[in-house]
Amino acid sequence: EAPEMEVLHSALSLAQAAITQVTTKKKQTPPTMWWITKGTQAAGLGEGYVHAGLWGMARTFRMEERAIILRSLDLDTTMGDAKAVATTLAQWMPNLSSGTFVAETEVALRTSEDKVSSLVSRLVPSATKAQKAGMLQMSSRGSLSNLRPVTQEGRKKPGATEAELRIRAIGLNFRDVLNTMGLYPGDPGPPGADCAGTVLSVGSEVTHIRPGDDVFGESPGCLKTYNVGKSSLLTQKPPTWDFEDASTMPVIFVTVEESLGDLAKLKKGETVLIHAAAGGVGLVAIQYAKFVGANIIATAGSEDKHEYLRGLGVKHITSTRNGAKF
């Protein structure tokens, strides 16, 4: 019931305390943490997504800090006051620590109509089947829970230099998260840009693509089945790429080409510092630097990422998380 950002801040403080315990007392058994929500997960009876962001933070934490066991549990909306919640947890925690669910990191506790409670894995295939054109509607900025799937009503006719796409795959960027959270400066427009799809119609001045072509590129506001955008930001998709692969390419490659190519004019023998080198832009920047023959100094957070970068031939790797080491 606490404000969403307050809960996330408290969870982050708890996670940081666990990291400190592991790093300063290495001989101790890594702690197990539980982050518990109520009615935020679509597994049977759920009423909202107010604290669903906590699960997203938990997934990121598990990827970054594998030495710490972090598990998420979602209670259903029939749980009453704090006493009822405590009683339920005391009943079910032993089941979560043994047997089938011991390896599960995300679990929901649901009560059926006959008042029988059961545990279900959160990560199960959705039975939902799309019947109509749809879109993610953002009612207001400030929370990811403000994105709601709705039916797409009507389609826009492309202008002279525009193209209408049947969207097949979408690549989400951190910019889209900042946009939805209301943290991006200025007006970033609707979320969604990187995508791949099939051309349905084009404007009178468009000649480089035509209806029926499979394309990829940027089409702002593409979190929908059909979208219209500038045709100049689209090009044919190579036949050997699938739509999902193609949708991850546009922004990261354009960012690197613009920064290291057009602006920095990086040359052979020069040295470039690439932060977050294991991320999307970082990996493309490594490719570009190796292509032109530049020397690379890379940063990444975890040792797993360091090992991955060494496998790419990067020799100089450090971390910005440790000032003395950097």
Side-chain angles (χ1 to χ4, degrees):
E1 297 177 356
E4 190 170 12
M5 294 307 295
E6 180 180 323
V7 170
L8 291 173
H9 185 270
S10 298
L12 178 60
S13 298
L14 179 63
Q16 290 172 332
I19 294 173
T20 301
Q21 180 177 340
V22 169
T23 55
T24 58
K25 302 177 181 179
K26 296 183 178 180
K27 293 184 179 181
Q28 287 193 356
T29 303
T32 298
M33 288 192 297
W34 286 93
W35 287 0
I36 300 174
T37 54
K38 185 170 74 172
T40 66
Q41 302 303 309
L45 184 60
E47 66 175 11
Y49 305 91
V50 175
H51 293 301
L54 192 63
W55 283 50
M57 180 187 287
R59 291 173 183 174
T60 301
F61 183 84
R62 282 191 286 266
M63 290 292 294
E64 295 287 339
E65 301 293 339
R66 298 181 183 273
I68 299 174
I69 302 172
L70 172 59
R71 303 175 70 184
S72 301
L73 173 65
D74 189 59
L75 307 178
D76 71 19
T77 55
T78 63
M79 299 297 168
D81 55 18
K83 183 178 180 180
V85 170
T87 301
T88 301
L89 292 178
Q91 175 188 354
W92 282 100
M93 277 300 180
N95 295 341
L96 291 168
S97 302
S98 61
T100 304
F101 289 93
V102 69
E104 294 283 355
T105 58
E106 297 185 340
V107 179
L109 175 60
R110 293 295 181 260
T111 303
S112 61
E113 293 181 358
D114 56 2
K115 305 301 181 182
V116 176
S117 298
S118 60
L119 293 166
V120 295
S121 172
R122 173 63 184 86
L123 297 178
V124 294
S126 172
T128 303
K129 296 184 182 298
Q131 300 295 327
K132 298 181 180 179
M135 61 183 289
L136 280 180
Q137 184 181 64
M138 183 172 64
S139 57
S140 62
R141 291 186 171 90
S143 173
L144 295 177
S145 62
N146 291 338
L147 289 171
R148 291 287 189 273
V150 299
T151 300
Q152 182 177 358
E153 303 289 350
R155 290 157 58 180
K156 176 186 173 185
K157 182 180 179 180
T161 60
E162 295 180 324
E164 181 190 24
L165 300 184
R166 167 59 168 93
I167 304 298
R168 307 290 185 183
I170 298 168
L172 293 178
N173 293 288
F174 189 52
R175 179 182 186 275
D176 298 310
V177 177
L178 295 177
N179 183 349
T180 305
M181 295 295 292
L183 301 176
Y184 200 88
D187 182 9
D194 283 11
C195 64
T198 303
V199 179
L200 298 181
S201 60
V202 297
S204 58
E205 298 179 15
V206 179
T207 58
H208 68 292
I209 55 176
R210 59 185 181 180
D213 285 350
D214 290 333
V215 299
F216 76 109
E218 295 184 38
S219 186
C222 64
L223 303 185
K224 58 185 68 171
T225 304
Y226 305 103
N227 195 56
V228 172
K230 293 182 179 179
S231 64
S232 58
L233 300 179
L234 303 170
T235 190
Q236 281 87 358
K237 177 180 73 67
T240 56
W241 294 3
D242 59 29
F243 288 107
E244 291 78 7
D245 288 340
S247 69
T248 68
M249 303 291 182
V251 163
I252 55 176
F253 276 87
V254 169
T255 299
V256 171
E257 180 67 31
E258 174 72 8
S259 59
L260 298 186
D262 297 344
L263 297 178
K265 295 180 172 53
L266 187 66
K267 301 181 182 63
K268 181 178 181 178
E270 294 183 333
T271 299
V272 57
L273 171 62
I274 303 175
H275 284 301
V281 173
L283 292 173
V284 176
I286 289 173
Q287 293 181 43
Y288 187 94
K290 293 174 69 174
F291 177 75
V292 301
N295 301 313
I296 301 170
I297 299 176
T299 70
S302 67
E303 186 56 38
D304 287 344
K305 293 178 180 179
H306 288 198
E307 188 63 29
Y308 179 73
L309 294 176
R310 292 188 192 98
L312 298 179
V314 180
K315 298 180 180 179
H316 307 292
I317 307 170
T318 185
S319 172
T320 54
R321 298 185 180 184
N322 185 325
K325 181 179 180 182
F326 181 76

